[in-house]
C-alpha cells in the first residue's frame, strides 16, 4: 500500500519505518529541510533503539522516501497519516495548528480520494475539525473529492517504540465507515497475525482512548509517588509496599515504581490537555488535577533532600548528576525531572557535572555553554571532586556501579537516588549516606 506520513518525529518516523519494513511504500513529509536532508544521508534526528538500521535499510530499498514537498506526499499515498506535534498552549490545551495546516495542505493539492488519519495525540473532536478544514478548502477550490477522516492514535513507549509498532498491544481505529475499517485492517495486517489486535470504534471514543490510557498511567505513577511520601513519614518501606500491592492481579507491577516524577512528551502534555478539555465543557477533573500537582511536587523532592542535607547552603557546591533524559533509552529531555533539579541547583548557586548515555547533545542544545554546567564523557568522570552524586534516570549502566570509586571520588559519600536503584541496607554497609524515595 502507498502511505504518506507528515512529521518525522518519534511517532511519524518510527511508524513510517515499520510500515516500510513490512513492505508498504512510505513517503515522509516534513517542513524541516535539515531533518529531511539528514535522513537521506542516514542521520536519524532522534535516538530510539533499533530505529537507525530500520530507516537505513528501507531507504536503500526505496520503500522509504523523504521530502519537504507536500505535493509529492499527497500524490503518493491513499493513506495520509498526520503525525505532527501538538504542543501545549499556555492554558494546557493541545495546539492543533500544525494538524490543521497539514489538513489544509492535503485538501489544497489532492486530486483523488484520500483517507486522512490522525496519528498525532489530539483532543476529542479534532477529527471533526480536520474534516471541516478539508471540506472548506475543497469548497474554496470548487471541487468535490471524497475523503474520510480516521482516528488511529499511537501507543508507543519511547525507548521501545519500534517493538511497540511491530508487536502492538492494540490497534485502535476510529471510523464510521465499514469500508475504511476494512482498508485499515488490510494496512495493519502484517502486525495483526498472532491474534486480532485491531479494535474499531467511533472516532470520538478513539480520540478519548489515547488520552485515557496515558492519564491512567500517569495516575498510577503519581499515586505511587504519593504513597512513597507517606511511607517516609510513617517509617514504612515503599519497596515492600510496591511488591505487596503489585502481587494483586487487579493492580499489577507496571507503572508502580516511585521516583522523582514523570516527564517526556506525552504524560505531562496529555494530562494537561485532558484537564483543559474537561474545563471547556464545564467539568472539573479533580483527579487529573491532583495527578499533575503531585507530579510537579515530586520533581522538586530531590532538591529538597539535597537542600536539607547541606543545611540550605549549596553555594559553591558541585554535584555529579547521572541521567538527563526523562527515561532510559531515549535522548528526550522534554519535561524531564533533571531539568527541574538542575535549574534549582543553579538558582541555589551550585554547579552540575553531568553524564547521560544519549542526552548530552540535547542538554547542550537546551542550555548552551555555562560555567556551572559541565558535561562529562563517562559516569565516572562526573564523580570527580563532586560533593554528592544524584541519580535521576535509571539507565542500566547506573545499576551496578563501583561504590568504592564513588566514595573515593566524592568529597563526601552521599547519594541522592531519584529512582531507588540501590538497597539502603547495602548502602549503609558501604558507608554511604543514601537518600532514596520512600525507602527505609
Amino acid at each position: 500500500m502507498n502511505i504518506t506520513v507528515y512529521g518525522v518525529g518519534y511517532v511519524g518516523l518510527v511508524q513510517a519505518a515499520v510500515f516500510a519494513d513490512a513492505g508498504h511504500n512510505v513517503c515522509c513529509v516534513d517542513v524541516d529541510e535539515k531533518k529531511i536532508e539528514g535522513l537521506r544521508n542516514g542521520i536519524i534526528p532522534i535516538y530510539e533503539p533499533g530505529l537507525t538500521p530500520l530507516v537505513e535499510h528501507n531507504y536503500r530499498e526505496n520503500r522509504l522516501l523523504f521530502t519537504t514537498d507536500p505535493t509529492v506526499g499527497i500524490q503518493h499515498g491513499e493513506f495520509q497519516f498526520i503525525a505532527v506535534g501538538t504542543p501545549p498552549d499556555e492554558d494546557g490545551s493541545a495546539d492543533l495548528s500544525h494538524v490543521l495546516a497539514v489538513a489544509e495542505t492535503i485538501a489544497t493539492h489532492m486530486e483523488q480520494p484520500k483517507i486522512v488519519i490522525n496519528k498525532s495525540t489530539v483532543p476529542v473532536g479534532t477529527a471533526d475539525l480536520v474534516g471541516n478544514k478539508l471540506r472548506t478548502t475543497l469548497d474554496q477550490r470548487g471541487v468535490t473529492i471524497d475523503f474520510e477522516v480516521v482516528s488511529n492514535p499511537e501507543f508507543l513507549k519511547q525507548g521501545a517504540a519500534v517493538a511497540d509498532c511491530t508487536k502492538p498491544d492494540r490497534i485502535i481505529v476510529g471510523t464510521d465507515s465499514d469500508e475504511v475499517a476494512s482498508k485499515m485492517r488490510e494496512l495493519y495486517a502484517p502486525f495483526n497475525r498472532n491474534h486480532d489486535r485491531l479494535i474499531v470504534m467511533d472516532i470520538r471514543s478513539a480520540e478519548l482512548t489515547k488520552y485515557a490510557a496515558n492519564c491512567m498511567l500517569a495516575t498510577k505513577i503519581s499515586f505511587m509517588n504519593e504513597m512513597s511520601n507517606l511511607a517516609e513519614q510513617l517509617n514504612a518501606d515503599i519497596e515492600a509496599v510496591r511488591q505487596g500491592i503489585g502481587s494483586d492481579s487487579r493492580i499489577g507491577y507496571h507503572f508502580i515504581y516511585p521516583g522523582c516524577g514523570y516527564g517526556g512528551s506525552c504524560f505531562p502534555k496529555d494530562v494537561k490537555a485532558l484537564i483543559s478539555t474537561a474545563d471547556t465543557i464545564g467539568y472539573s477533573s479533580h483527579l487529573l488535577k491532583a495527578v499533575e500537582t503531585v507530579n510537579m511536587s515530586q520533581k522538586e523532592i530531590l532538591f529538597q533532600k539535597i537542600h536539607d542535607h547541606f543545611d540550605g547552603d549549596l553555594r559553591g557546591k558541585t554535584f555529579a548528576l547521572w541521567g538527563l533524559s526523562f527515561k532510559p533509552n531515549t535522548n528526550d529531555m522534554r519535561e524531564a525531572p533533571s531539568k527541574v533539579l538542575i535549574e534549582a541547583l543553579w538558582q541555589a548557586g551550585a554547579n552540575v557535572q553531568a553524564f547521560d548515555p544519549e542526552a548530552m547533545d540535547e542538554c547542550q542544545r537546551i542550555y548552551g555553554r555555562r560555567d556551572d554546567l559541565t558535561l562529562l564523557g563517562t559516569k565516572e568522570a562526573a564523580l570527580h571532586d563532586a560533593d554528592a552524586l544524584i541519580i535521576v534516570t535509571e539507565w542500566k549502566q547506573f545499576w551496578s556501579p563501583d561504590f568504592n570509586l564513588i566514595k573515593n571520588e566524592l568529597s563526601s559519600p552521599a547519594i541522592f537516588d531519584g529512582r531507588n536503584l540501590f538497597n539502603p541496607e547495602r548502602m549503609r554497609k558501604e558507608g554511604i549516606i543514601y537518600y532514596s524515595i520512600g525507602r527505609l
Side-chain angles (χ1 to χ4, degrees):
M1 291 182 161
N2 293 327
I3 302 166
T4 298
V5 177
Y6 298 90
V8 292
Y10 278 99
V11 176
L13 184 58
V14 173
Q15 187 66 75
V18 170
F19 271 147
D21 204 53
H24 296 306
N25 299 305
V26 186
C27 176
C28 295
V29 182
D30 200 285
V31 297
D32 191 326
E33 293 183 5
K34 185 177 179 181
K35 277 187 180 180
I36 292 298
E37 189 59 33
L39 285 163
R40 289 171 177 161
N41 290 289
I43 301 171
I44 310 303
I46 57 176
Y47 174 74
E48 186 64 39
L51 180 59
T52 297
L54 210 60
V55 171
E56 291 177 343
H57 171 70
N58 286 284
Y59 182 68
R60 286 195 305 269
E61 295 293 318
N62 295 317
R63 288 193 297 266
L64 203 51
L65 168 69
F66 299 107
T67 182
T68 57
D69 185 353
T71 61
V72 173
I74 293 163
Q75 293 169 6
H76 173 85
E78 176 185 8
F79 298 91
Q80 301 273 308
F81 278 85
I82 301 177
V84 294
T86 54
D89 275 338
E90 290 184 6
D91 63 355
S93 62
D95 179 358
L96 298 177
S97 59
H98 301 304
V99 171
L100 296 177
V102 172
E104 183 176 11
T105 300
I106 293 170
T108 299
H109 299 287
M110 63 188 282
E111 300 295 339
Q112 298 89 25
K114 301 291 182 184
I115 299 173
V116 180
I117 302 160
N118 279 333
K119 199 71 177 172
S120 302
T121 299
V122 294
V124 176
T126 299
D128 295 336
L129 298 176
V130 169
N132 290 339
K133 178 64 72 173
L134 290 163
R135 194 173 299 106
T136 301
T137 306
L138 289 170
D139 289 345
Q140 290 171 350
R141 290 176 57 196
V143 298
T144 301
I145 305 173
D146 291 337
F147 66 84
E148 293 282 352
V149 179
V150 176
S151 175
N152 177 218
E154 54 83 18
F155 296 95
L156 307 182
K157 300 185 294 293
Q158 285 181 242
V162 172
D164 287 342
C165 263
T166 54
K167 296 180 180 179
D169 294 325
R170 74 287 212 194
I171 303 164
I172 302 295
V173 173
T175 179
D176 301 320
S177 166
D178 291 340
E179 181 183 356
V180 170
S182 178
K183 287 186 176 182
M184 293 293 289
R185 187 174 293 279
E186 183 180 353
L187 178 69
Y188 277 105
F191 318 105
N192 198 34
R193 292 175 62 85
N194 181 267
H195 63 275
D196 192 4
R197 299 177 172 90
L198 197 140
I199 304 170
V200 179
M201 59 183 69
D202 65 275
I203 293 173
R204 284 180 168 249
S205 295
E207 290 172 330
L208 183 55
T209 296
K210 168 61 179 178
Y211 277 112
N214 277 357
C215 288
M216 179 65 192
L217 297 174
T219 299
K220 291 184 74 173
I221 294 170
S222 279
F223 174 82
M224 207 60 191
N225 284 334
E226 185 91 310
M227 292 301 102
S228 71
N229 296 334
L230 276 172
E232 287 192 5
Q233 297 296 319
L234 297 171
N235 201 31
D237 188 346
I238 196 62
E239 175 60 15
V241 175
R242 183 189 71 81
Q243 294 186 32
I245 67 173
S247 60
D248 186 330
S249 61
R250 296 170 300 174
I251 298 172
Y253 291 102
H254 294 298
F255 286 86
I256 61 168
Y257 288 89
C260 51
Y262 61 75
S265 63
C266 296
F267 288 3
K269 174 175 70 71
D270 293 353
V271 171
K272 288 183 175 72
L274 195 51
I275 290 171
S276 177
T277 296
D279 288 344
T280 61
I281 60 173
Y283 179 81
S284 181
S285 181
H286 302 296
L287 177 59
L288 292 180
K289 289 176 181 177
V291 168
E292 183 182 29
T293 299
V294 169
N295 190 58
M296 290 171 64
S297 297
Q298 200 70 14
K299 287 183 179 181
E300 299 173 356
I301 201 164
L302 278 179
F303 176 78
Q304 193 58 55
K305 290 175 184 289
I306 295 164
H307 180 273
D308 293 346
H309 175 80
F310 288 97
D311 297 324
D313 183 13
L314 302 182
R315 189 162 300 279
K317 296 285 191 301
T318 297
F319 294 96
L321 183 71
W322 286 2
L324 294 164
S325 58
F326 84 94
K327 64 181 287 189
N329 297 320
T330 181
N331 63 344
D332 196 342
M333 288 182 63
R334 285 175 287 182
E335 301 280 349
S338 64
K339 293 169 65 178
V340 175
L341 175 60
I342 288 170
E343 291 165 18
L345 290 170
W346 288 337
Q347 187 68 29
N351 303 300
V352 175
Q353 44 195 48
F355 168 76
D356 187 284
E358 294 295 338
M360 307 278 268
D361 290 344
E362 179 65 4
C363 185
Q364 191 82 76
R365 185 192 68 79
I366 293 169
Y367 293 118
R369 298 189 180 279
R370 302 175 53 116
D371 292 338
D372 49 11
L373 174 64
T374 306
L375 300 175
L376 283 306
T378 66
K379 65 182 189 293
E380 291 81 10
L383 296 169
H384 186 61
D385 284 342
D387 290 284
L389 166 63
I390 310 168
I391 301 173
V392 183
T393 314
E394 65 274 32
W395 287 92
K396 284 288 187 183
Q397 64 174 276
F398 300 159
W399 288 30
S400 300
D402 183 337
F403 291 112
N404 286 327
L405 177 66
I406 290 174
K407 289 185 289 186
N408 290 334
E409 290 290 337
L410 297 179
S411 61
S412 61
I415 297 177
F416 297 86
D417 184 356
R419 298 300 174 187
N420 289 354
L421 297 188
F422 311 133
N423 185 295
E425 182 60 31
R426 166 80 187 279
M427 294 298 95
R428 284 190 284 270
K429 290 179 179 178
E430 292 283 354
I432 293 173
I433 302 168
Y434 183 63
Y435 294 91
S436 56
I437 308 295
R439 299 296 311 272
L440 284 176

